Amino acid sequence: VGSEMCIRDRGNTSDFADYRTDGNGNLHLVWHDADVDSGAIMYMMFNAAGNILIDRTQVNTGGTGNASTWPAVNIDTAGLVYVVWHDTTDGEVYFMRLNPLLAPLDGTSTTAATIKEVGDVRLSAAGGTNALHPRIRRDSNTNFHVVWESSNGGTVEYVKVDADGVILNGPSSLGGTATGADLPDVDVDTGGNVHIVFGNDVGTATDEIYYAMIDGATGAVLIAPTLLSVDDGLRAGNVTVNVDRFDDTLYLVYKQALAAGVNGVEEVFITRLNPALDDQDGSAGDPAVLKLYEKAVTSGTGVFQWSVFSRITSDKRIHATYIDFDQGTCPGPGNYTINDAHITFAGDVILREVLTTTGFATSCFPQARSAPAGNRIVWTDSMT
């Protein structure tokens, strides 16, 4: 484990960090800061050595006091930065494109007007407080696939946009219940097909894991939302998806409760799917056909896991980051640890690392995130 750097120290005002690294090893970081403009989307750029090139800069439209949160970031081969986020004022998902090379890159902050080339483009259909928790992935044609959850009808929404934020297909709705979908994630395979995962309780006793596949060219649904986890009354959630670009199989990492209770005993699991085994006629798939394996990542590690996240990184392993609480409530009085499991494509855990032991949890969202082809993890911490 390498060194730790505190990026923002303001006492429980910074959260929901996400990052990508470009072809030169520069790190592009976004997060939500409640101490700026009632809740701003902030951006920083570091070089490969960890030196600051662009200091803290608000990139959403400032001066309005409009709270914006849950940013997610992607980057193209030219080093342009693409951000989606949730604006809590109108409840919609927005898109922007940043060109950090327009800034001096001398370690000082810049302005949104200097580096923002496109924005703020609304992606969700105006409906009022309905679109939140977006994620974004890029395809080989530098188009972007964005998903978010809707609290207006409980669906997962999907849209494809180009580098200017122009909608190419969608928004499309998947699933739907009165209580809503949970934290969707998305990835794109080598053929341009889009793979979406989320939690939902449509027809189940509590939230379970769902998978869907969309034709990225047309927006047509190839595999309708398919229940992957067992409807056993024990909650599953925090699912993320990654495409193996060698054979377009998928790796899903998620948490699953194993015992009844408010939180129950939770463990982390990995499932490998092969969508090519489905007839892709637009109906739901058969989990028994789609699944190549399902294995436990953790065993007996604590009362419950939180903020499970996974990405395939530069060592050709799946890295599952998760936060382990040893008490059954959150916030809770005890410390928690941020962990990283190194998993082979065969689903075998070859290493589990405790990255850091933090102070007591004042928030239930001390997220830890890695990124594709990255060897860094960013997280929110309340150790002080």
Side-chain angles (χ1 to χ4, degrees), residues 28-30 41-45 53-60 79-83 96-105 108-119:
H28 303 265
L29 174 71
V30 294
I41 305 303
M42 306 298 293
Y43 168 76
M44 288 182 72
M45 180 180 179
L53 300 181
I54 299 177
D55 206 351
R56 294 183 290 266
T57 299
Q58 181 180 356
V59 289
N60 65 313
L80 300 179
V81 178
Y82 302 82
V83 183
M96 74 173 77
R97 184 179 81 221
L98 307 176
N99 185 348
L101 298 182
L102 298 175
L105 303 182
T108 63
S109 61
T110 183
T111 65
T114 299
I115 61 174
K116 187 187 293 188
E117 293 184 326
V118 175

Side-chain angles (χ1 to χ4, degrees), residues 297 318-320 322 340-344 348-353:
V297 174
I318 303 151
H319 283 251
Y322 55 94
D340 180 35
H342 303 227
I343 310 169
T344 69
D348 299 322
V349 179
I350 58 175
L351 179 65
R352 294 185 185 90
E353 294 180 293

